[in-house]
Amino acid sequence: TVQQRQDLMEVIEDRHGRGSTLIASQLPTEHWHDYIGSATLADAILDRLLHGAHRLNLKGESLRKAKAQNTESVDPS
């Protein structure tokens, strides 16, 4: 929503240049602009977030999926 975008911008603006900000997302960064919506706010938010960011892109199967498969394969008797 408009309010959520403004809230996110306010948080990012308050933290920009003052401390670290960690964001975890299942949505690839190349889709963040479209997901945020408003082009002006998205540009401002992403400029502050991604400039100088260290990105860690994880690959492979989900650990939740692997854990669920291991749980299903255990015989309860």
Side-chain angles (χ1 to χ4, degrees), residues 19-48:
S20 299
T21 303
L22 177 69
I23 296 182
S25 174
Q26 293 179 344
L27 185 66
T29 55
E30 57 266 16
H31 299 292
W32 286 11
H33 195 276
D34 293 332
Y35 188 76
I36 291 171
S38 169
T40 303
L41 276 176
D43 286 343
I45 290 167
L46 295 177
D47 181 56
R48 287 162 179 77

Side-chain angles (χ1 to χ4, degrees), residues 6 11 13-14 19 29 31-32 41 44-45 47 51 53 61-62 64:
Q6 291 172 341
V11 169
E13 184 67 26
D14 286 348
T29 55
H31 299 292
W32 286 11
L41 276 176
I45 290 167
D47 181 56
H51 179 75
E61 288 293 324
S62 165
R64 289 185 193 131

Side-chain angles (χ1 to χ4, degrees), residues 58-70:
L58 304 179
K59 297 179 182 178
E61 288 293 324
S62 165
L63 292 178
R64 289 185 193 131
K65 183 177 178 181
K67 186 176 181 178
Q69 289 174 346
N70 289 339

